[in-house]
Structure formats: C-alpha cells, structure tokens
Amino acid sequence: MVRVTALPAPTTPDPKDAPSLRWGILAPGGIAAAFASALLAGTGQRIVACGSRSIDRAREFASQFGSFTAYGSYDELVADPTVDVVYVASPHSAHRDHALLALRAGKPVLVEKAFTRNACEAREVIEEARSRNLFCMEAMWSRFLPRYDVVRQAAADGLLGELDSIVADHGQLLYPAGPQRLAEPALAGGALLDLGVYPISLAAMLLPGELDVHATGSLTPTGVDRAETVTLRSGGALATCVSTMSARTANTAVIAGTSGRLELPGWFYQRGPVRLVGTDDVVLDTYAPESTEHGLHFEAAEVARRVSAGETQSPLMPWAETIRVLEVMDEVRAQLGVRYPGEDGPSTP
C-alpha cells in the first residue's frame, strides 16, 4: 500500500461567488467592524443597515463602511424590510436576547461566538429558529476557512493514521488592561468564551461523540476565568486546550496521529499554512494560502449560500455542534466554579 504524503487541496468555494444578501449589523463594535471590512473586501455581500443603542454610534459605523441606514435601536434594525439577514455582534451576555429578537422578526441570523452564554440558551435560540424555519448559525469563523477544510480532509482521509492527540493554545494579553467587559461576570467575561472557544471548537471538530472533560484554571477577583487548561478525551484520543487572557502565547495547534502530524503555525484559528510532518519529523507537504488577510468573509459567504438555498443550518457548524461545544464549556465553568448573574448553574434549563 502506497502511503499518501500530500495534503488535499481545499474545497472551500470562493466567497465572491456566493449569492448576495443584504446584511444588517446589530451592535457596531470591534468585531462588527472586522466583519464589515471582510464583507466589503472579499464578498459580493451588501451591508444595508446597522443598529446600536446609540444613534450617533450607528451613524459613525454606517459612514465608515458605506453610508447605509443607521438605527438607534435594535428593534428598528430587525424590522427593516430591506434586511435579509442579521449579524449579531453584541457581548456574549446579550446573544440570546438579540438572536431571538431577530428571529422573531423573521430574520435569519449569524450570531457571534460564543453563540450564547450556555447550552441552555443555545437550545432556546435554536428551537426558535427551528419553529420558524429560519437559518441560524454560530459565527465560529475558523471552521469555514480553507485551512480548516484541509485539516478536516486530511484527518478524514487517514493521512495521520489513528488520531492520538491535539494540542492548541490561545492566549492574548487582554487582562487586566484590556476591555473591561472581560472582567465582568454580568457580560459573561473571562478567557473561555472569548479565547478558549477556539481551541475547544478545533478539538471538537476532530473528536467524535461524547467528550470527557477535565479542567483546571484560575479566576480573577471578579470571579471570571483568567486562564484554563482543558483536557478532552474521545476514545483513545486526547486534546489539550489552553487559553489565557493575561499572556500572549504562541497560538499554535498540532494534530498528531500514529502516521504523522499536522502543524498549524502562527495563529492557528486564522488563515494560514498547514504542514504535514512525518513521524521522522520530515515535512512532507505544506498548504500555503494565497492570502492571510481577513477570513470572516468565508462564514458570511456560507450564510449567503445556505439562506439562498432555503436551508436552516450549515453542515460545517450545525446546531448540534454549537450545543456540543457549549456543553463542554458549561462543564469547564462548572469545574472552575464560574457562574454568570442570572444562572442557577451554567446549563440549568
């Protein structure tokens, strides 16, 4: 039997070929600005409106990205008949309410990750989408990148042999001098929902079935998680997911099997290369993207394709997977002792 030593080519469609939808941006903050920039640079999508609690902020955002309609309330935004789909970019603590607001106005939604604070809230949003036959998706943008497509194919094709381990870290120096919301329990702050979701989602993408979860970490004086190490086990395979908001780590990922490994250097969850390395440490092949700019436009194009086809989910980030990842993070918080205001427990119905 001849061993395959070449990485598969990505099969990700060109985002510019996706049908054009008219987008409404809910909560024009930093991630919304990155999303808008990516849409305008890499797709044929159109932004037609934005909504904020501050009309001045909405107008500033609109003038920055194309002078579209600005609203001083979220209700006005979701009621706009020219809006085909709503992108929810508010803090985690508001995702549930804002997603429900859009769905109840008859709008498909793309909701920033983490999708909601916990799995219970996610089930509520998803059930609303299901009952209205509307598209709804978590904006875990890494899963739509060509880089992740190469990883998925390589693992599925057996290039690594039997999967043995995944190691991924995501650390940024954001605390205590960064955004204040990260220290606020009321805003679902902490490292996990902002940073830890990336390595956990990568591991969940490759590890099937129910995941055994073990977590250790440390909390801030306000009671949110500052850093954690999460170990996930599926059968004989293990994943180690490290996240911290008080140090800049290498932000790399390695996926290893009995026949070789995949290395994702740099910021593993962004656009970038994939290296296939043999058990003798020889680099067998490298996928190198033509560009490492942007990346959020791939998820937007996926939304446009699915909505235009009348579908309610994406197979790359289906509802069950969003809930599965949140169940892992609920268990991590339970083991660390992190509770957000209004929760009896992270997963309490």
Side-chain angles (χ1 to χ4, degrees):
M1 181 177 179
V2 178
R3 181 185 168 197
V4 178
T5 58
L7 288 167
T11 60
T12 309
D14 187 337
K16 291 184 178 180
D17 293 337
S20 180
L21 296 184
R22 299 170 299 180
W23 289 76
I25 308 294
L26 191 153
I31 188 61
F35 183 80
S37 296
L39 244 65
L40 297 178
T43 75
Q45 306 301 305
R46 296 172 54 206
I47 304 172
V48 298
C50 69
S52 172
R53 291 172 297 181
S54 163
I55 185 61
D56 290 339
R57 190 176 184 189
R59 286 170 176 161
E60 180 182 357
F61 187 87
S63 64
Q64 182 181 357
F65 293 105
S67 298
F68 41 78
T69 305
Y71 292 110
S73 75
Y74 301 139
D75 293 279
E76 290 176 292
L77 172 70
V78 301
D80 186 333
T82 69
V83 171
D84 296 322
V85 57
V86 172
Y87 168 59
V88 174
S90 49
H92 310 300
S93 54
H95 285 180
R96 168 195 169 275
D97 291 347
H98 292 156
L100 290 174
L101 181 71
L103 290 167
R104 288 168 180 168
K107 307 295 188 185
V109 288
L110 174 65
V111 185
E112 252 312 316
K113 50 78 192 111
F115 186 72
T116 51
R117 297 187 303 174
N118 55 50
C120 180
E121 292 182 349
R123 293 187 191 98
E124 185 179 358
V125 171
I126 287 167
E127 184 53 41
E128 190 73 28
R130 190 195 317 276
S131 69
R132 295 176 181 273
N133 198 36
L134 288 170
F135 181 88
C136 178
M137 191 180 83
E138 179 181 8
M140 176 42 70
W141 62 288
S142 306
R143 293 213 180 191
F144 305 95
L145 299 177
R147 186 185 211 182
Y148 270 46
D149 183 54
V150 171
V151 169
R152 271 191 301 266
Q153 290 188 71
D157 292 347
L159 266 65
L160 305 180
E162 184 178 346
L163 185 62
D164 182 81
S165 67
I166 301 167
V167 178
D169 71 282
H170 187 192
Q172 297 191 43
L173 186 54
L174 300 173
Y175 174 84
Q180 182 60 32
R181 69 172 181 83
L182 290 173
E184 294 294 337
L187 296 178
L192 184 65
L193 267 61
D194 260 86
L195 308 178
V197 65
Y198 285 103
I200 288 172
S201 186
L202 172 64
M205 183 181 81
L206 298 171
L207 297 177
E210 186 175 351
L211 299 172
D212 184 46
V213 182
H214 293 274
T216 184
S218 63
L219 308 185
T220 69
T222 59
V224 300
D225 57 296
R226 181 192 61 80
E228 53 266 319
T229 297
V230 178
T231 302
L232 306 176
R233 181 173 62 84
S234 174
L238 291 173
T240 303
C241 306
V242 178
S243 54
T244 177
M245 61 180 184
S246 57
R248 178 72 169 265
T249 64
N251 293 296
T252 59
V254 177
I255 302 150
T258 54
S259 300
R261 68 180 184 267
L262 300 176
E263 297 179 346
L264 280 65
W267 294 67
F268 74 88
Y269 59 88
Q270 298 182 2
R271 298 180 77 180
V274 179
R275 289 196 293 259
L276 175 63
V277 183
T279 55
D280 54 3
D281 283 341
V282 173
V283 177
L284 303 173
D285 195 16
T286 299
Y287 158 73
E290 295 180 2
S291 172
T292 58
E293 292 183 336
H294 300 293
L296 296 174
H297 56 304
F298 287 96
E299 67 180 0
E302 175 72 359
V303 173
R305 286 189 292 268
R306 301 297 170 183
V307 169
S308 297
E311 300 175 36
T312 58
Q313 303 182 54
S314 165
L316 296 180
M317 196 68 209
W319 295 342
E321 184 69 349
T322 286
I323 292 171
R324 181 171 174 252
V325 170
L326 276 164
E327 287 175 340
V328 168
M329 295 199 294
D330 285 352
E331 179 60 26
V332 170
R333 289 199 293 120
Q335 292 184 23
L336 297 181
V338 174
R339 299 287 187 273
Y340 303 134
E343 288 185 316
D344 294 328
S347 314
T348 302

